[in-house]
Structures are given as structure tokens and as C-alpha cells.
Amino acid sequence: VRSDGHGAKKWQSTDAGIQSHAIKAVTAFLGCLSTEMLRLPPIKESISDILVLLEGVLQTKNVSVLIQAADVSSKLVSSIGNSIRQYPILEIVSPLSCQLSAHQLPTAISCARAMNCILNSLVTARGSTHAEILETLERTNAVASIVSALQSYTPDVHPLSYLTEMISLLRTILWIWPSSRYHVWSNGNLMGKLAHYCLATETTVVAKVLRLYAALALCGHGAMILLKNKVLMAKICELVGTSHPSSTRIEAFKLCHILLRSSKGCSQLMTSRCQPIVEGIIDAMRAKDDKLLVTEGCRTALLVLRYAGNHHQCFWSNAIDKVLYSILTGRCLSSHQSDKVLCDDELFDMVSKNFMDIHPYVWDILGYLVVHCTEDHHPVRKGKGHSLHALISCACLLATDVMRKSSPMTLSKDVQEPALRAVLMMLLSPNGYIQYEASFKLSEGLPYLGDGYLNVLLSSLESNTTRSVATSFDSFKIMTNLMNLACLVLSRPYHNLLNKRNPIDVLSIIIKECLHNNIHITRSKVTSHLHFCFEGSSCCCYLGEEWEGENIVLYYGLVGLFNLLRSTTLVCVQCKRKLDVGILCHDCRDQYTEDFLIVLQRALSQSLSSGPKLYIAHILSLFGLCGSPSKLGGKMSSALDNNDLADLELLLSDGESINAHTAIISARCPKLLPSVKCLLGSDEKVKDEWGKSVYRVQMSDRVDSHALKKILEYTYTGFVMVGDDIVKPVRTLAKYCHLKPLAEMLQKEQPRWNSDYTRYDLTVALGPVEHSFS
């Protein structure tokens, strides 16, 4: 190694014998290295010289020396680990990349292996380092060389290692650099070859192709290409089954994780292949001696069950509650042991004293199962309901135990949050049995807490309102207190709570603080078991986020506030004055509207997820403000009073008539229009005084004129103010008109978990004609 005259070192010798001797000396040197030695300056300098040597030797034409140099490059990276970032490793990436297209297969294989080792060691490197490597890969046409190698591979000519090393290297590149994915999923010939390799019987190849698919599926377009290949999807669903090695099943599950990250991907995968996937998941969760397989099965179940659908029934049919119970107890119950269950206290003691990393998955899976359980579903079959009952009881006991502790931090976050969340989801379940069981079990433990606990809880929350929530040292404690409060309010009505304390003001301050400071506290920051969901760099797709959104403190505050407000009976939430109707007296309405309600209305235009937005809309509806103000809706409000283009006249029984526009009505509230059958052969279409055609429709005498005007206002603008004296007729008409969001708000119903926030939309009016008026 000599200086090039400019301060940089260059390898000068082109003699193959000298190069080989130097490589052998480096091999011996690396074999003697230890972690302690890597900190010594002379060793660091020697490693830098080795990289200079490798950079020079990797440009030689001697195949034997090239292979030796590539192998030493791999050994160097393996020997020094993450310390490789301290050295100019990029200097050998370029010559290695240039050799990927070498006609000498051993050279290409060794260089691909070395490249993969280097890139994997730099996955978490700085963005600037990634940009430099990507520039090098593009300059040397690395992806094109790998694609060419995979397309030209034939088993009779090429060794299997040639295929596996190229697949592994391409997977690493796709995982780190999103821009490289297009060159793969857009190449139909390559995708066909990869599918052929995946359908092969060679286990090693199949596992590597699955990992490559997982990196490719991080691109939304790539995921759709995979999902559209029915033969491939059938094979992947088969690979999660019991007939395949555990390592292959795990890679198939990991690919499913990527495909299930969006609701569209989940729908496509589970609609066509629900039964084999669910059976594979259940079997993996039952695995006795394979912790990794159980974990991947639980992770897949968690992602699948986030979304509502028929697959939930499939999980219930496969006794998912029994499987979850067996995981908690640390054993799988055989058929003759199915009636032998631990009592509630025994199971609670076992779970609370022997926490395992798998337990948070159990509570998350249970939470999604119960919150998506339909009203008419019977989760407890005759003689087979003990598992679900035990799970509900154990979760509620854990929740009350958290409440009973003087400090919420007594148990770890990974224990508290998933169990509390599962209980909250039980109480929000539309299924009456689950809701009752959770409420009853939670209420059993509340007397032991006493009324003093509620005071302590509210005092703790009040203390946070005296300083910024954003700068609070313990956001987790705030979140836990809000979850506890929401569980308490949902488990039993607290009609007297407002008379003793004023939690409405406390929750309002916390909610405003969250909205003003744009706080981001996601579940993944609170619990470690969710980190697997966020690996890899996604592109070209909308990822399904948790319904609670990126600020769970805001979400739990809104849940508690809504349920406190809707449980109040004829008492002003501000001054505690007795009322005949509503929750705000006339004197307090203006003050409250000017302050907190304005903040909530503005929040509806922020980029919040559906959960918080729905709860905000439902809170506003309790004060008579129904719907969501929008710019387009505001513009359409002028059309209510504009009769120039009106082509529909609604005739009321009292002789009054209301003009409307069929295009808007058919797009936003088609139920108001008569059916085609009613119009055939009728003379309802007449000419107005300007000669324009107008439909006249006689409304039923049961339709209240004031309610109809409110329905039309909501239809045109997406927002309407409904006074306490007119709620009932408006609600009745909203149900008849199938305006479900408005009807649910006026009914004071709980927002359905994972339901979408309704946005003002008129695009359906631009679609195909589906109504005779259009």
C-alpha cells in the first residue's frame, strides 16, 4: 500500500502471487481479532489499509484472487460488525458490484455474498451513506445485473448457490432502497421466474424468495402484483400450513405481515384464502415447542383481526378463544382436558406473576375479536364458553389490579397497556354478552377501590392540566389514567360524578392541549411488541394505521369525555344547574361554544385518523352540532335557497313546499326520492313558471316539516344544528333516509370501532346514472 501523492493510499501491485499472499495474511489477521482489539488505534489503521488492499485487488482479472478478496470482504464485515461504519467501506462496494455480471460464476457468487454482507451491516446507517451506496449501485447497474442473473438461471447449468445468493442480495437492496422495487415488479418475465422458484420444492430457495417478496411488497404496487397472482397466493397460504418446515412457515407469515398492513391487502388476501390462512395461524399459535412460530402466528392474527370481515367468524369457528387461553396458561389443552380450567384468581396469579413476551399479543388479539364481534354473534357455545369467560375475567382483574396500585408504573408498560386496552374494547363491543361480562367483572372489583380512587384519578389528571401535557415527564401515566377513567365510566354510569367533581373541564384542557401541540404518542412507542409492524421502508401505498391514530392520549381523552357527557341526565355540564332537556343551559351555551366546541370543530379539518374524528363528531352532536363542516359543504349551502336550478318540489301535508335539486339529493340522500316504479305512467313532472321541468313529490303526512328541512340542510352541507326539541323527529327521518352517521349521532351511539369517518363527497353524482332523476 502506497500513497498516490495526494494523501490517499492506493494498492499498487498487480502481481497475482503478491495479491494472494496479502489476502492470506489478512485472513490470518482477521482470525485473531477480538472486540477489545478493535478499539486500538493500530488495529483501526490496519483495517483501513485492508480496505485499500481489497479495493485494489477486487479490480484484478485473476478469478482465483477475486474470489479470495470477495470472501475476505465478507469475513472482514463479519469480524468487525457495526464498527464497519467507521471505515470507508464504500470503496469496495463499487468493485464488488461490477463483478455481479461476471461470466465466471464463482466470482459472481462470492461478490454477491460479500455485497449482501456489507449492505446488511449498513441497514441502519445515515441517510447520506444510503444515498452514496444507491448512487454506486445505479452507476454499476447492480439491480440490472442481478435481474439478468435470475432470469438466465437454469438448474442444469448454474449451481444453486448462484440463485440463492442473487435472491438474497436483491432482497436486501429492495428492503433498503424503495426506488429499486419498480425494476422488479414491473418485469413480468422476472416475476414469473420468481413465482416458479417459489413453487419449487427446494426449501432453501422458497424461504429466500419469500423474503424477497416481503421486501417487494413494501411497495404498494408490488404488493398488488403479488396479490393478483392467484396461484402464487394459494402457494403462500399453503406454506403457512403444518406440512412445511417451521423456518419456511415463519417466512410465509412475515410476508403476510407486509401484505396485511393495508385494509385493501387484507381484504384481497382474506376474501380468497381465508380458511387456509386462519387454519395455519391457529396451528402456529398452538405450537408447543417453537416460540418463534407461535410469535409469528400471533402477529399475523393481530394484523388480520384489526379489520372487520368474515374472517373473524372463521377465527371463532377455529376456537381462537381456547388457543389464547392455552397460551396464557403456558400449555395447550387436549380434548380430554378441555373442561379443566383454572379459576379466575388462579389464572390471574399465573399471568400477573409470570409475564411472558407473548402475553401482549394475546390481549391485542382478544381486543380485536371482541370489538368486531357482531350483535347477533354467540361467542359462547354450549359447554364451550369457559375459555372466553376466563380471558375476559383475567383481563378485567389485571385492569382493576392496575387501578388498585398506588402508582400505575408498578407494572411494566407491556403488561398494563394491552390488558387495559382489551378491557376498553370489551366495553365498546357491540356484542351484548361480551359487554355485560366485562362490565360485570370490572364492577366486581370497583368496590375494593372505593370512591377515593376516583378522586385520586381525577386529581392526578388535574395536576397535568396545570402544566403542558406536551412537556409532561410522564405521558404514559396520563394515558393510563385516561384509560382507567374511560373503563370506569363505560362499566357503570356515573351520574353523580359531575356533581362532585368537574372532570369535563379536566378532559377538555387535556384534549385542547393535545390538539394545539400536535402531540404524537403512538401505541408502538408505548409497547414493544408492536415494533415488528413498522420494519422496512414502505412506498406507494397507504398503510393501515391504528384506529386510535397517532395520539392515543387524545383518543382516550375523547372516549372518556363522550361517555361522561352522554351519561349526564338533565344537569348543565358547566354550572350544574338542573335542566329540562340537553346538557348545557342557555347561559353557558355561548361560552362553551366560543371555546371548546370551536376547537373541536376546527380539529375535524386536521389530519387526524378516523377514531378521534368520529368521537369529536359524536361529542359535538351532544351539543346539537351534527356532521362535519367543510369548504365544499359551505359552498353548497347557498344552493338550499337558490331556486333557479331546482328541479324537485317536495310537497308537505300542511301545504308547504320545499325546492331541491335532484342531482344533490340522488347523490347524498336518494331515499328522499320516490322509486322509478312510482314515477312510471305518472304526471308528477310539470313545468314551472319559466317552462323548466320540475318533479313534484308528495311527502307522507308523518314527515315533520322542520325535521325535513334539517335533513335537507345536512344533505346539502354535511352539517346541521339540531335543537333539543327537534332531535326525535330528525332522528326518525334520518333512519328512514338511511343517513346512518347522522342517526347514530342523534341516537348518542358509540362510534363503531374501525369505522370510517364520513367525509362530504359529491363524486357519486359524476358517476353512472343509477336513478331516474339523474
Side-chain angles (χ1 to χ4, degrees), residues 171-326:
R171 181 265 175 193
T172 303
I173 294 174
L174 298 186
W175 189 264
I176 303 174
W177 292 282
S179 60
S180 60
R181 296 164 191 161
Y182 169 79
H183 302 289
V184 177
W185 64 256
S186 64
N187 188 326
N189 184 26
L190 174 61
M191 293 298 289
K193 284 275 189 177
L194 291 175
H196 174 73
Y197 300 148
C198 188
L199 297 172
T201 56
E202 175 58 53
T203 302
T204 305
V205 176
V206 172
K208 289 187 177 295
V209 173
L210 289 174
R211 297 191 78 213
L212 173 59
Y213 278 152
L216 184 63
L218 287 171
C219 173
H221 297 299
M224 289 301 111
I225 294 292
L226 296 176
L227 288 166
K228 288 176 182 177
N229 190 328
K230 296 182 179 179
V231 176
L232 177 61
M233 285 299 104
K235 177 64 176 180
I236 291 172
C237 294
E238 176 202 327
L239 291 173
V240 303
T242 57
S243 60
H244 296 276
S246 176
S247 58
T248 304
R249 296 179 69 189
I250 288 174
E251 294 302 335
F253 279 129
K254 288 182 177 180
L255 171 58
C256 288
H257 297 169
I258 307 296
L259 297 175
L260 292 167
R261 296 205 299 177
S262 68
S263 58
K264 185 177 180 181
C266 180
S267 176
Q268 286 196 236
L269 186 61
M270 299 307 295
T271 299
S272 59
R273 298 290 167 185
C274 180
Q275 190 65 31
I277 289 182
V278 172
E279 289 178 355
I281 291 172
I282 294 294
D283 181 80
M285 293 171 67
R286 285 197 182 111
K288 294 182 178 180
D289 304 318
D290 195 334
K291 183 179 178 181
L292 288 177
L293 185 60
V294 174
T295 301
E296 296 306 327
C298 288
R299 288 174 169 176
T300 312
L302 186 155
L303 291 172
V304 169
L305 292 168
R306 285 193 304 171
Y307 305 103
N310 295 331
H311 53 275
H312 277 262
Q313 182 58 47
C314 194
F315 274 96
W316 285 114
S317 300
N318 283 273
I320 181 66
D321 51 329
K322 185 177 178 180
V323 176
L324 296 176
Y325 178 82
S326 69

Side-chain angles (χ1 to χ4, degrees), residues 406-413 416-417 457 460-465 467-483 510 514 519-521 525-526 551-553:
S406 57
S407 169
M409 294 303 294
T410 303
L411 297 175
S412 73
K413 297 178 182 180
Q416 288 186 62
E417 196 273 348
L457 182 62
S460 179
L461 287 172
E462 285 173 351
S463 67
N464 289 114
T465 63
R467 62 181 184 272
S468 171
V469 176
T471 58
S472 172
F473 67 94
D474 199 350
S475 297
F476 179 75
K477 184 176 181 180
I478 302 172
M479 182 206 72
T480 305
N481 286 334
L482 291 173
M483 293 176 77
I510 292 175
C514 289
I519 301 171
H520 296 281
I521 306 175
K525 292 181 180 178
V526 175
N551 186 356
I552 50 180
V553 171

